Amino acid sequence: RTGFLGGIVGGVGRINGFLGRMRWVFCLAGAVVFLALLYWLRQFHTSSDPLFYSYLEVIGTLLSFTFAANALVRFRGTHDRISLILAFGFILSGLIELAATFGLSNLLAGGPDLQLRVPITWMVSRTLLGVVLLAALVVEKRLPNSREPSREIAAALLIVGAVGYLTSAVYLGAPGEPLIRPNALLSRPWDLIPAAIFLAAAILYQRRLRGSVSAFDRALCWTAWLNMASLLAATQSERLLDPPFTFAQLLKVTSYAVVLGGALVDNSRLFEQVRRLSISDPLTGLGNYRRLLDALNVEAERSRRTGRPFSILLLDLDGLKQINDRYGHLVGSRALCRLGNVLRIHCRAMDTAARYGGDEFALILPEAGREAAGSVARRICERLTSDGEAPPLSVSAGAAVFPEDGETIEKLLASADRALYRMKGRRTGTVSLARIAACL
């Protein structure tokens, strides 16, 4: 048997190694196809419509602003510093690109000489965004969680503002102006500077996926790769609005759409997690009192509409205080979880189990009468007694049927509660098992 399992493990390892090698083969093939596409686009000597370029810039700006808003919402809920810094980075980058849209007409009207200059707004916005991506990683590594959100916002604004100022100062104060060399192998070699920054960011975000695999993290990684590809495409542009330049703009806007999509998907997951936490008991994982009332209202409306009754079963864990005093609160909490597991595993999918109070639980049984409720209570007691853990547990139960025992939720719960305490007062019954057994 050991040899057989070892063979399986070895086979799985070889398959993983093969898939890893094939991944690099696919990446290399993709890079070759991408370079061939750039060479093919460079052969066309046409120009796209300036209006189309303006539309792309406006769409990219709107996407970056929308992502920033979602990132700020994410920071408010998770205090994730990387979201906060990227939010302000995308806002500033979007503003710069919006300014570039208004300056395009001046470039086009300035004659051929101006069209052979790389727009400074392009260089600043691309470099700014790449540096912000790296700065967010550095801040996250040093200080992963925020403790004072108001100060964090001010610090993020300071970081992004400093990056924007330094990036602008470097390009505006550079001795050489970013020019386009139409006949060179790389017509715009200056684009290699932000491309290298995005390459570093892509590699670091790729490594980050080993410990974090949310949609937001994957989107950040893809955004870095797409921006790097966008800048590589721009290096082949021989003039403004030619096919490589337009392709670079499309890749840039696509990267914004990817990061926005990742933020939306991850935010929806976070919102669902918050909603689930708001209606569940943190200890047992069952529904809480709010979830119980919602389910009771739904079942009452269904019963009035169909004329079919439903039952509610209240369960009280016997002797919880004695368990806490004798064995400690950890054992007492485990006792509550044991009863919660029985309710979760051994009940129908249509039933709703909830923690009603400290040691009280409730089980809603749709389309079940009093006899069915008693049968369920006995089964729960048997499962709890035979779970094999110590100390042995027992429960008392009380049932009420809608609308026979109450036509409102309050009356129904009160009726089930009276039945429960009658059972506890008798200390015996068909749904009660033995009390706490002898010591361990």
Side-chain angles (χ1 to χ4, degrees):
R1 182 180 300 176
T2 302
F4 177 71
L5 292 177
I8 293 178
V9 172
V12 171
R14 287 190 293 272
I15 291 174
N16 288 334
F18 174 76
L19 292 177
R21 291 190 296 271
M22 290 302 298
R23 181 183 62 182
W24 287 109
V25 171
F26 289 138
C27 290
L28 181 60
V32 171
V33 171
F34 178 75
L35 294 176
L37 176 62
L38 294 183
Y39 177 79
W40 179 69
L41 289 174
R42 191 170 181 175
Q43 308 308 309
F44 292 91
H45 298 286
T46 58
S47 296
S48 61
D49 191 342
L51 189 61
F52 178 68
Y53 167 79
S54 300
Y55 285 154
L56 285 179
E57 288 290 355
V58 171
I59 292 172
T61 302
L62 291 176
L63 288 175
S64 63
F65 288 168
T66 307
F67 165 75
N70 279 273
L72 289 174
V73 171
R74 178 185 173 87
F75 170 76
R76 184 176 180 85
T78 63
H79 292 174
D80 177 25
R81 281 186 173 92
I82 198 168
S83 300
L84 179 63
I85 295 174
L86 290 180
F88 292 129
F90 271 82
I91 289 175
L92 184 55
S93 178
L95 290 174
I96 294 173
E97 292 173 6
L98 188 61
T101 304
F102 296 111
L104 177 64
S105 58
N106 295 331
L107 288 177
L108 295 178
D113 292 338
L114 282 181
Q115 295 186 30
L116 291 178
R117 296 178 183 178
V118 179
I120 195 67
T121 52
W122 164 271
M123 297 300 302
V124 172
S125 67
R126 297 298 83 209
T127 306
L128 165 69
L129 193 57
V131 174
V132 166
L133 282 170
L134 290 177
L137 280 179
V138 173
V139 172
E140 183 196 43
K141 184 176 181 180
R142 299 295 182 182
L143 301 168
N145 295 315
S146 171
R147 296 182 180 179
E148 299 183 24
S150 58
R151 292 188 178 182
E152 297 299 332
I153 292 175
L157 281 171
L158 180 62
I159 291 173
V160 174
V163 170
Y165 173 78
L166 292 175
T167 303
S168 302
V170 167
Y171 282 113
L172 292 175
E177 186 178 5
L179 298 176
I180 299 176
R181 299 179 177 87
N183 298 320
L185 179 63
L186 297 176
S187 302
R188 293 169 48 168
W190 282 74
D191 283 304
L192 291 178
I193 297 175
I197 296 174
F198 276 109
L199 175 61
I203 293 173
L204 292 176
Y205 277 96
Q206 187 78 40
R207 292 180 179 178
R208 185 171 175 267
L209 292 180
R210 299 173 184 174
S212 181
V213 291
S214 68
F216 181 69
D217 298 316
R218 286 193 292 266
L220 289 178
C221 180
W222 276 102
T223 297
W225 285 114
L226 285 170
N227 275 280
M228 188 201 72
S230 170
L231 289 159
L232 290 180
T235 62
Q236 301 300 307
S237 174
E238 297 181 336
R239 64 189 181 283
L240 294 180
L241 304 181
D242 65 350
F245 179 81
T246 305
F247 183 54
Q249 294 291 334
L250 286 171
L251 288 175
K252 181 192 71 175
V253 174
T254 301
S255 73
Y256 290 170
V258 168
V259 73
L260 175 60
L264 291 174
V265 170
D266 205 50
N267 281 355
S268 66
R269 178 187 63 83
L270 293 174
F271 292 153
E272 175 61 24
Q273 182 179 357
V274 171
R275 186 199 68 81
R276 188 167 57 251
L277 290 174
S278 69
I279 61 173
S280 64
D281 174 58
L283 178 62
T284 63
L286 302 179
N288 57 12
Y289 187 67
R290 175 182 175 182
R291 169 62 178 151
L292 174 66
L293 292 182
D294 290 343
L296 282 173
N297 286 318
V298 170
E299 289 301 326
E301 290 297 327
R302 182 183 301 171
S303 179
R304 295 188 185 100
R305 186 172 62 253
T306 63
R308 298 177 181 177
F310 74 91
S311 298
I312 180 170
L313 191 65
L314 296 187
L315 302 157
D316 188 284
L317 187 62
D318 297 327
L320 180 61
K321 184 179 185 303
Q322 288 80 359
I323 294 177
N324 287 330
D325 294 341
R326 185 168 187 176
Y327 303 107
H329 287 276
L330 288 178
V331 177
S333 297
R334 177 56 190 165
L336 293 171
C337 292
R338 288 165 61 186
L339 178 53
N341 291 336
V342 170
L343 293 177
R344 183 186 302 106
I345 297 173
H346 298 291
C347 295
R348 301 174 301 176
M350 63 188 301
D351 299 337
T352 301
R355 189 178 175 189
Y356 182 64
D359 57 354
E360 293 185 344
F361 293 76
L363 183 63
I364 301 175
L365 305 168
E367 300 186 6
R370 196 177 307 277
E371 182 178 352
S375 176
V376 170
R378 286 190 293 271
R379 185 171 69 249
I380 291 172
C381 290
E382 293 169 359
R383 299 293 186 183
L384 185 63
T385 306
S386 60
D387 68 351
E389 294 191 39
L393 302 178
S394 64
V395 293
S396 298
V401 180
F402 182 90
E404 179 182 342
D405 295 322
E407 295 184 352
T408 64
I409 302 302
E410 293 78 10
K411 292 180 179 179
L412 187 68
L413 289 174
S415 178
D417 200 50
R418 288 193 298 268
L420 170 64
Y421 279 93
R422 285 197 302 268
M423 177 63 65
K424 291 182 71 69
R426 288 200 300 267
R427 294 286 182 176
T428 58
T430 56
V431 296
S432 292
L433 298 180
R435 299 303 179 206
I436 304 301
C439 60
L440 293 172

